[in-house]
Amino acid sequence: RLSPASEMKGDDDFVDFHLSLLQRVRAEKEQARRKKLQQQKDIREFRSMQRVKEEKLMTTNRKAYDAMKWLKENSDRFEKPVLGPLCIEISVKDRESATLVETALGRDKFVFLVQTDKDYTQMGRCSGAQERGHFLKDVTFIKYTGTHVLGEDLGNVSEATLKKYGITGTLISRVEAPAAIKSWLCTDKIWHKL
């Protein structure tokens, strides 16, 4: 049998352990709450940025805007998402690169990327149809069914070599976009070398 002092000491250890555990759980819960709030804020900012991009597209190229809306409403007609226009799909990682990326895109910023042969044929049918999507014939669709995986050697210049000449990265390293678009930009526009 333990002495009363030993029993109290054991009770104190038990209470201290559970208080410590409770504090840890509360801290983890608070950290998870903060992370969730940050994610919600990031989503709101992304949606706001997308809305701004779409409004700008609506004023600069109404046909591309209408095509984008039509494609969203009719996505079930295609095997894979029809991506674009590129000016909506591509996000620049830093403000300093925005002008460089926009200049490199040129007129391609209003291009849509179709990812399968079947979808490209379907786009042709939709473009020719006298339905709501008739404006599609005035928009550029590029078929890209390439299988290039980013990171494959395409003769990339090493980062060390780029830094040696004061270049902080290639064009492709300055953007975020769906993999198919980045792949097309590398294989057709050599953005991994610019």
Side-chain angles (χ1 to χ4, degrees), residues 36-56 68-69 72 88 91:
K36 182 180 178 181
L37 288 173
Q38 183 61 45
Q39 287 172 338
Q40 289 171 340
K41 180 183 175 197
D42 292 346
I43 288 169
R44 280 192 307 274
E45 287 176 3
F46 174 77
R47 286 182 179 154
S48 175
M49 189 187 291
Q50 281 299 107
R51 202 172 307 116
V52 167
K53 283 179 165 184
E54 288 178 12
E55 288 171 1
K56 184 177 179 184
M68 179 189 68
K69 290 295 186 189
K72 283 181 182 180
I88 298 293
S91 295

Side-chain angles (χ1 to χ4, degrees), residues 41-94:
K41 180 183 175 197
D42 292 346
I43 288 169
R44 280 192 307 274
E45 287 176 3
F46 174 77
R47 286 182 179 154
S48 175
M49 189 187 291
Q50 281 299 107
R51 202 172 307 116
V52 167
K53 283 179 165 184
E54 288 178 12
E55 288 171 1
K56 184 177 179 184
L57 178 64
M58 186 170 54
T59 59
T60 57
N61 189 328
R62 183 61 191 224
K63 290 177 182 179
Y65 175 82
D66 290 341
M68 179 189 68
K69 290 295 186 189
W70 184 88
L71 287 164
K72 283 181 182 180
E73 293 167 5
N74 293 279
S75 62
D76 60 326
R77 293 184 180 198
F78 305 98
E79 292 178 325
K80 289 188 172 184
V82 177
L83 302 171
L86 297 185
C87 62
I88 298 293
E89 298 285 350
I90 295 175
S91 295
V92 180
K93 291 181 180 178
D94 58 71

